Amino acid sequence: MKKIITICAFAACLTGCDDLFEPAIENNLGLEYMYENSQYAEGILANAYTRIPCAGYSFNDVATDDAVSNDAENSWRKIASGMWTANNNPADRWTSCRSAIQYINLFLANADKVKWAKDEVVAQMFCDREKAEAYGLRAMYMYYLLEAHAGYTEDGVLMGVPILTEPEAAGSNFNVPRSTFVDCMKALKEDARLALEGLPWEYGDAAEMQRLSAKYAGADQGKVTRVFGANFIGRMSGKVVEAFVAKADLLAASPAYSDQSGVDWKTAAASAAKVLNHIGGVDGMDPTGWTWYCNVDDIEKLSPTESPAEILWRGERAKSLSLEEDNFPPTLYGNGRINPTQNLVDAFPMLNGYPVSHLSGEYDENLPYANRDPRLEAYILYNGCKAGNTNKEIFTAADGTTNDALNKVVGRSTRTGYYLRKLLRQDISLDPNAKADQYHYTPRIRYTEIFLAYAEAANQAYGPQDKGGNGYSAYDVVKKLRHRAGIGRDNGDAYLESIKNDQAKMAELIRNERRIELCFEGFRFWDLRRWKSNLTETAKGMNISGTRYTPMEVDKRSFSEYMYYGPIPYSEVLKYDELKQNQGW
């Protein structure tokens, strides 16, 4: 894929170089060029891949009750303070996703004309697979567009986005109305169906290779491997498509959309189970999945065609310092950008599984970090923690003497008394005299996300302990997730056992587990909206002075109720009168 993108970039660079040649030549490559050049055709599709929204971290947590930023120019910080408008929207996906869909439609309109290979059987396999990838990508982009831009218009109808299945040209009608949410979901699932017809569950999978050999008469193992082998791992596959259907169904079944989405909790549970059943349900849960970002042995040994058991789909592994440069505390030469809140810290239960607010949790206000959920220390750097490749002790107290102290240096020090630890590799050094980078990769989809989607949907559909014919219940998932993190191992997770027959309390616990497990991975901003939860919870911190721990307010949140749904870009509504804006924007 990198080679394909490089070729496309090189071709683009040639455009406009007439002055280098005598006589001048035309360097623009028309669409007909792709018919005899399959790599150029793949380059069209590669342009869709480069726009994947889950390819990096947005840190939209800064616009929620989970984090603040010490960067005054942070766009998420600005919108949380009341500056979110239809023309100032860091959550916008309209342009990038619709651009990707244009490339996809351009590719699909021409793929059958491409000479994919000399061998007719191989050529047909390549054509079918590439088109299936395109359908899968289009389904994915529809999901992201609905998440960011679906909403109720002034007439009370839940609308999605315009459904585009043909490439747009200069003479096209761009003034296309939005389709209903229901119709967008139908289009998404039709694209998913077409994708699944041509894609293996995973490239190189032995059972899938046999199935494909039987599907294509005359295709021996070598030909099937050439088209569907492990070398293509990382591209759109059957399991990725099914995962996005599960994500879309969870969105549609959620309170913000359910009354007009056409999707219920049973459908959402079944979609998530379809993904999880491929790995054996709860038995397939990775025991170390909650520390995927710092499982050094797994990361160092990754080949281009491998993923850890926790990861359903991932980006490329590469050496980098950027996450640490942004988020290490100042004494480790970082900028301390993302500061977790006391709100999030309070969400982590005690080691015995009880919430910090429960009497049985035995929470000590004078020792607030003692006997806590191990994920707290793994994900958040609090006062007295050791960090970095030198195992340096970090002091975030207000009376601290280093730049790590609360509000010590504007724009670099923590504003909450906490720094980010999750996602960061502690074996990296930012010391200017001894810099050392390490490998990172971005998990585009983790199995934990799908487990939590199943738990949420199954609990709402069947109750906490009913398995709904899937072999495992919401309770089973939550118990396994908490046990792998070390929660309640000494008392059999007594708190979970006490609520296992209470659907409302189980729903609350599932949401809290989702908040913890997926923190800083770009979920909280969207989850609060699909749940129609409180968006204005004040972000809090911890002021430590000597032995006194005093919670404090850090940032107010300014959101209106209509902001459960994101806007259509203001510029688009101005240009096209058929585009109806969501209420309130």
Side-chain angles (χ1 to χ4, degrees):
M1 185 60 69
K2 286 196 296 184
K3 291 180 180 178
I4 293 166
I5 294 171
T6 301
I7 290 169
C8 290
F10 180 68
C13 289
L14 288 177
T15 305
C17 296
D18 289 2
D19 58 326
L20 299 179
F21 300 90
E22 185 62 45
I25 62 173
E26 177 58 66
N27 293 307
N28 290 307
L29 300 176
L31 277 176
E32 65 279 359
Y33 184 78
M34 70 186 288
Y35 303 152
E36 297 294 324
N37 296 272
S38 60
Q39 282 196 319
Y40 186 77
E42 280 209 299
I44 302 294
L45 193 58
N47 275 286
Y49 272 102
T50 62
R51 289 163 169 78
I52 295 173
C54 56
Y57 302 110
S58 69
F59 291 114
N60 57 38
D61 313 72
V62 170
T64 75
D65 52 357
D66 273 5
V68 304
S69 175
N70 63 19
D71 179 8
E73 297 304 312
N74 183 286
S75 58
W76 297 103
R77 177 177 172 177
K78 287 182 177 181
I79 71 164
S81 68
M83 297 175 65
W84 194 9
T85 66
N87 59 0
N88 179 37
N89 181 16
D92 175 69
R93 290 172 177 163
W94 188 273
T95 301
S96 62
C97 289
R98 283 169 59 92
S99 175
I101 289 173
Q102 166 69 357
Y103 279 110
I104 290 166
N105 291 341
L106 194 64
F107 175 84
L108 287 170
N110 292 277
D112 288 332
K113 303 174 186 177
V114 176
K115 185 176 181 179
W116 292 103
K118 292 181 180 179
D119 184 289
E120 290 186 4
V121 175
V122 172
Q124 189 61 55
M125 287 193 292
F126 266 122
C127 186
D128 290 349
R129 195 209 76 202
E130 298 271 353
K131 287 169 64 177
E133 284 183 61
Y135 287 122
L137 285 166
R138 195 164 68 185
M140 177 192 73
Y141 282 113
M142 176 60 80
Y143 161 74
Y144 281 118
L145 282 167
L146 291 177
E147 185 180 52
H149 300 290
Y152 290 86
T153 53
E154 292 295 339
D155 54 5
V157 179
L158 179 60
M159 302 299 289
V161 297
I163 298 173
L164 303 175
T165 58
E166 299 292 333
E168 294 175 300
S172 296
N173 175 26
F174 295 96
N175 195 13
V176 180
R178 298 166 67 185
S179 296
T180 64
F181 191 99
V182 168
D183 285 341
C184 288
M185 285 295 295
K186 289 179 180 177
L188 183 156
K189 291 191 175 184
E190 175 60 13
D191 278 342
R193 183 189 69 79
L194 293 170
L196 291 169
E197 284 184 355
L199 294 174
W201 165 254
E202 181 56 287
Y203 295 99
D205 180 80
E208 290 290 87
M209 301 293 270
Q210 290 182 353
R211 178 182 69 83
L212 291 162
S213 293
K215 178 180 177 180
Y216 291 97
D220 58 30
Q221 195 66 27
K223 292 179 179 179
V224 173
T225 300
R226 178 181 171 186
V227 181
F228 297 100
N231 284 339
F232 296 102
I233 288 177
R235 296 174 76 151
M236 187 61 62
S237 64
K239 68 179 182 180
V240 177
V241 173
E242 289 184 355
F244 273 106
V245 171
K247 287 162 70 75
D249 279 340
L250 182 72
L251 178 76
S254 297
Y257 306 96
S258 59
D259 65 335
Q260 291 189 36
S261 71
V263 178
D264 59 17
W265 288 117
K266 287 184 179 180
T267 301
S271 294
K274 189 175 181 182
V275 177
L276 298 175
N277 290 343
H278 280 277
I279 61 169
V282 291
D283 291 335
M285 188 182 294
D286 181 7
T288 63
W290 62 288
T291 55
W292 59 268
Y293 63 95
C294 62
N295 294 342
V296 174
D297 286 345
D298 286 347
I299 298 171
E300 295 298 318
K301 294 175 183 176
L302 278 184
S303 75
T305 59
E306 292 177 319
S307 286
E310 167 64 11
I311 308 303
L312 189 149
W313 194 31
R314 71 173 177 89
E316 182 184 358
R317 185 189 72 153
K319 286 194 171 184
S320 173
L321 293 169
S322 59
L323 277 172
E324 289 73 21
E325 287 173 338
D326 283 345
N327 296 298
F328 267 179
T331 59
L332 295 179
Y333 304 97
N335 290 306
R337 287 289 182 237
I338 304 301
N339 307 152
T341 59
Q342 186 63 41
N343 315 56
L344 177 58
V345 170
D346 288 343
F348 290 82
M350 302 302 292
L351 187 61
N352 64 10
Y354 285 93
V356 295
S357 59
H358 198 289
L359 288 177
S360 297
E362 300 179 353
Y363 174 72
D364 187 344
E365 292 182 352
N366 297 313
L367 295 170
Y369 312 121
N371 300 313
R372 297 292 295 275
D373 180 340
R375 292 172 295 188
L376 174 59
E377 186 173 355
Y379 296 167
I380 296 175
L381 195 58
Y382 53 80
N383 188 55
C385 278
K386 294 181 179 179
N389 68 336
T390 59
N391 214 26
K392 182 182 180 65
E393 198 164 8
I394 305 299
F395 296 102
T396 66
D399 56 2
T401 58
T402 71
N403 288 343
D404 298 336
L406 182 71
N407 292 321
K408 189 76 168 182
V409 179
V410 175
R412 290 199 70 200
S413 304
T414 177
R415 299 174 61 223
T416 62
Y418 302 104
Y419 290 100
L420 180 68
R421 186 195 286 272
K422 189 179 181 182
L423 310 179
L424 312 182
R425 287 196 54 166
Q426 301 302 310
D427 51 352
I428 271 179
S429 173
L430 300 180
D431 185 336
N433 297 314
K435 279 196 174 184
D437 56 11
Q438 298 292 351
Y439 283 111
H440 297 77
Y441 69 89
T442 303
R444 293 172 178 167
I445 305 175
R446 291 171 54 204
Y447 277 107
T448 293
E449 178 195 347
I450 309 302
F451 275 114
L452 286 162
Y454 175 79
E456 181 179 343
N459 181 61
Q460 295 301 124
Y462 314 117
Q465 294 194 78
D466 193 321
K467 299 178 181 180
N470 295 312
Y472 44 93
S473 65
Y475 161 82
D476 294 330
V477 170
V478 174
K479 189 174 185 68
K480 190 82 177 243
L481 279 171
R482 283 161 65 89
H483 185 269
R484 79 173 183 181
I487 300 298
R489 288 183 181 178
D490 292 338
N491 65 351
D493 204 345
Y495 177 71
L496 176 61
E497 295 303 313
S498 73
I499 67 165
K500 65 182 181 182
N501 294 312
D502 188 321
Q503 187 182 49
K505 288 187 177 179
M506 182 62 78
E508 183 181 347
L509 181 60
I510 291 168
R511 289 187 180 187
N512 196 67
E513 284 295 312
R514 184 178 177 91
R515 181 182 190 178
I516 292 170
E517 284 279 348
L518 302 180
C519 64
F520 308 113
E521 295 181 48
F523 290 89
R524 184 72 172 168
F525 178 81
W526 306 107
D527 284 343
L528 289 174
R529 283 161 176 76
R530 68 179 179 85
W531 292 332
K532 301 193 79 170
S533 295
N534 180 16
L535 302 178
T536 59
E537 187 75 31
T538 297
K540 299 177 182 178
M542 180 65 80
N543 186 311
I544 306 171
S545 181
T547 59
R548 295 186 62 185
Y549 293 81
T550 307
M552 61 180 186
E553 292 189 355
V554 179
D555 268 351
K556 298 284 189 182
R557 296 293 188 240
S558 179
F559 291 108
S560 300
E561 188 173 354
Y562 67 82
M563 293 177 178
Y564 286 128
Y565 311 96
I568 304 301
Y570 182 64
S571 60
E572 297 297 296
V573 176
L574 282 181
K575 287 186 292 186
Y576 307 117
D577 58 10
E578 288 291 339
L579 280 178
K580 291 184 179 180
Q581 181 62 279
N582 291 331
Q583 292 176 6
W585 296 99

